Amino acid sequence: MFRRHAMRLFVPILAGGSLRDRLWACLGALVGIALTGLLCSLVLPPAAFAMLVAPIGASAVLLFAVPASPLAQPWSIIGGNVASALAGVAVAQTISSPALAAGLAVGGAILAMSLLRCLHPPGGAVALTAVIGGPMVTSAGFLFALVPVGLNSALLVLTGILFHRLSGHSYPHRAVPVAGHVLPPQSAPMFHPEDVDRALADLGETFDVGKADLELLFRQVELHARERTQRPA
């Protein structure tokens, strides 16, 4: 009994997650970060810029571990990190108090990403880095948003696109089954997309899944429910 409960601690908490997916994510992050760092080291002058910004590691977790997440899509990663860097640099250049600047930078980054439809959690760390990153970041000014942040983000996304062609996951994500999983034909669904909107409004929460994926999931749930209820007892 104790062993069974203990093993549950190591079960992925993400719906649909499997050990195979986690192993692919580990390999993807290894390849993505290593290749991004290598390419940046060949392009950037070592004395002027860091090879990698730390938040790009968090971007890699999203990109390779949850490639279907709206927060992990190409525009979310590139736009979110660059917009956050710009917000952070702007605050750092106008606010002298480090604590206040840090708070305003992260808050401003969330606002910028929300307005630009590129919400990306590591963007908060990018904005914070722009404030507390030290002399190298301060001297770079707004160029920090392009090099190394923008360059890191673009290279990581390119690596993710190529890698997920091998992993079998769609990236940039589309609401379709992964390779090897074909949906059987089914009758018209019992719900309308507006029903999904109303249900989300009723719950009053924001979920890290696209509405198209929810509709696909619900239709498959309906199909399996019909098969189960029509099965002879």
Side-chain angles (χ1 to χ4, degrees):
M1 178 69 72
F2 173 78
R3 181 181 177 184
R4 192 160 58 244
H5 285 294
M7 290 302 293
R8 290 177 181 173
L9 297 175
F10 299 95
V11 176
I13 60 174
L14 295 174
S18 67
L19 178 60
R20 176 186 179 277
D21 289 331
R22 299 290 79 80
L23 293 177
W24 270 106
C26 295
L27 179 61
L30 186 159
V31 173
I33 292 296
L35 188 57
T36 298
L38 175 62
L39 293 176
C40 286
S41 68
L42 297 176
V43 173
L44 303 179
F49 298 102
M51 178 178 66
L52 293 169
V53 288
I56 208 68
S59 296
V61 173
L62 286 170
L63 173 58
F64 295 106
V66 282
S69 170
L71 307 178
Q73 300 313 297
W75 173 237
S76 296
I77 295 177
I78 299 174
N81 283 338
V82 171
S84 297
L86 292 173
V89 171
V91 170
Q93 292 187 353
T94 54
I95 304 297
S96 59
S97 169
L100 179 58
L104 287 173
V106 175
I110 295 175
L111 177 60
M113 289 187 290
S114 299
L115 294 176
L116 294 173
R117 298 174 61 84
C118 56
L119 192 64
H120 185 60
V126 172
L128 193 59
T129 302
V131 174
I132 63 173
M136 183 178 293
V137 175
T138 301
S139 61
F142 287 102
L143 183 61
F144 171 72
L146 298 180
V147 181
V149 172
L151 182 60
N152 282 180
S153 302
L155 289 174
L156 186 68
V157 165
L158 180 60
T159 304
I161 292 173
L162 298 175
F163 181 83
H164 282 303
R165 290 187 177 182
L166 299 176
S167 74
H169 294 99
S170 65
Y171 189 84
H173 177 67
R174 303 179 306 279
V176 295
V178 298
H181 295 261
V182 180
L183 296 183
Q186 60 188 72
S187 58
M190 297 176 60
F191 65 89
H192 190 275
E194 291 182 1
D195 299 328
V196 178
D197 292 331
R198 294 182 63 183
L200 290 171
D202 291 341
L203 295 175
E205 296 285 355
T206 300
F207 298 94
D208 185 13
V209 59
K211 196 179 79 167
D213 285 305
L214 285 176
E215 294 176 11
L216 181 63
L217 175 63
F218 293 160
R219 290 180 179 178
Q220 281 305 101
V221 170
E222 281 188 0
L223 174 65
H224 290 298
R226 286 170 180 160
E227 291 177 344
R228 176 178 52 80
T229 55
Q230 293 172 5
R231 191 181 305 146

